[in-house]
Amino acid sequence: MGREIDTVAVLGAGSMGHGIAEVAAIAGYDVTLRDIEESYVEDGYEQLEWSVGKLAEKGQLDQDPDAVLDRVRTTTDLEAAVGDADLVVEAIPEDLEMKRDLFADVEAATAADTILATNTSSLRVTDIAAETEHPERVCGMHFFNPPVKMDLVEVVSGEETDDDVVDAAYGFVESLDKTPVLVRKDIPEFVVNNVLVPFMEEPGWMRDAGEADVRQADAAMVYRRGYPMGPFELADFGGLDIFVHTREQWNEPVPECYRSLVDGDDLGRKTGEGFYDYEDGPGVDYEPGDGEGFNTLRVEARMINEAARLVGQDVADPEDIDIAMRLGGGLPEGTCRTGDKLGLGRVLEKLETLHEETGAPRYEPADYLVELVESGHTGEDAGRGFYDYSDGGPYHYIRHEIDEDGVLRVVFDREERLNALSDDMLNEIDRLLKTVDTDEVTCVTFEGAGDRAFSAGADITGFTTADATDLMAVEDAVETIYDFERPTIAKIDGLCLGGGFEITMACDIRLATEGSRLGSPEINLGLIPGGGGTQRLVRLVGEARTKELVFRGEQISAEKAVDWGILNRAVPESEFEETVEAFVSDIANGPQTALKVAKQVINEGQDASLKTAIAMESQAFGLLSTTDDMLEGVEAFTHDRDPDFE
């Protein structure tokens, strides 16, 4: 039987607690925020109130902020907080005994069907639930900090958690407009932390051994491998004490370079000094050239090995691991995907060499990784690794479906990076349009996930790691969109910049919300637009306006883009979907042969002389006059009815 959730209690008003309370209130739930001291509750509520106000100020809240705040009440009374709650989320410090005591008290004060969830990031749900009489009610619901911005939530099943509790928790996370990832087995640190810890830890061991320094490791992983932060930079950001405490609570060894800093109370950014000096020094100051000579494979091999261990132990699927690492770890691509691109044979060989040389358990290859390699499933080049590439592989960065009217709806699915265009995403767009059965398609719509961006452009983290030929993937995908034989529509809501702007210019129809911004900012990176960004733009708006946009690298409003002839329409947010669907309906129900020919003649005619283009048009007109669709159109016109084209 499904469990209904209407009221939520959040225990702990710190950064995680008030953040969880905020997202629940925004989603429409009645929320009680509770802590042990009135001052803690007041501070938490003030932060929640400030955050809701900022969201409203930035136009990121589609409701009255006062209505959100009216759904939140505060208390220090535990029984009053949880007595009527359908869901209780614990968000107190990572202390096992403290959490156990709290859950025992909560269980006694709640109804038998109340779901009890812990926001722990590193402890086992089963261990926390051990002091309760009904551990089947307890699950994990690990939000990432800050909850209002981070999209991922790890939903964890304890060893005795009921399936319907997990299902309800999963559904609750979805109702918050967050992405849940199911952790099927209750292991310490779940998915993201298990895979991310080696990223920070392994460079520490290398530094201890004199095989790397801080700036070398950080520069290599950022500028050579495309990670958003270097390992030591990330450790400083999160707090070195948290890293060391988490490792020690599971009796895991800790690199001396970490321990010595923590012993000296140099905990990273929060104390002003860690691996970098943020007070008296320059802070994070590594440069691209600093990364030469660092063994990046050693770090990534350990991360990939951890991912393989999770898959092999049935903790999570490769797809969920990769989504978790992108949304929760901030990685540009999932770790399983990285392994398939690097080659799992290389990864296994590296681990075996390190294990033989050191004997350290951290290098012992996961059984599943060995199994994959021994089966010949060594990655993308072999046709199979974590993923099956026999038909091109799964789609990681776009979602697509063909509806009953033949409309192919494509969503750029990298919301965590404002739908920035990676090489993989561009290849997926290209592959989809080249392999789809066009006889089943009437038109195509393109849009970005979320409401912040159609696409903010090419993913610049890949610029320093890509070959020049890789960057040409933009041109390939854009040309495929432009040449696609069915009409294409760009649905622009939010930022539409760089490569995203170039994709829209390759589309036949461009529709936007009034708040959208468009532009070609490449000049600010020392580049020029690619993917036809200069040539299609000049054909749309002329030389003067093209040079203004390209030379200045500025964004223009949707209203100005309409005035300049870049957009077909810019409408209020409330009218956007209705406007789009009006265009889609007209095209999807139109004469498909004529639409195909019209697109071809218009596109090709632009590159021909006027005389040649008119001849093309005349020939096409003559051919279409012999079709059944033409006869149906004439008959429908004569009898004053809507045509029913084939």
Side-chain angles (χ1 to χ4, degrees), residues 54 85 97 117 220-221 244 278 332 344 364 387 438 444 450 463 478 503 574 585 601 638:
K54 293 299 289 185
E97 293 306 316
M221 298 310 293
V244 171
Y278 302 92
L344 300 182
E364 184 174 357
Y387 298 102
T438 53
V444 186
F463 284 5
V478 170
I503 282 178
S574 60
S585 178
V601 170
T638 302

Side-chain angles (χ1 to χ4, degrees), residues 132 303 350 519 602:
T132 63
M303 297 171 70
K350 187 66 175 178
I602 293 169

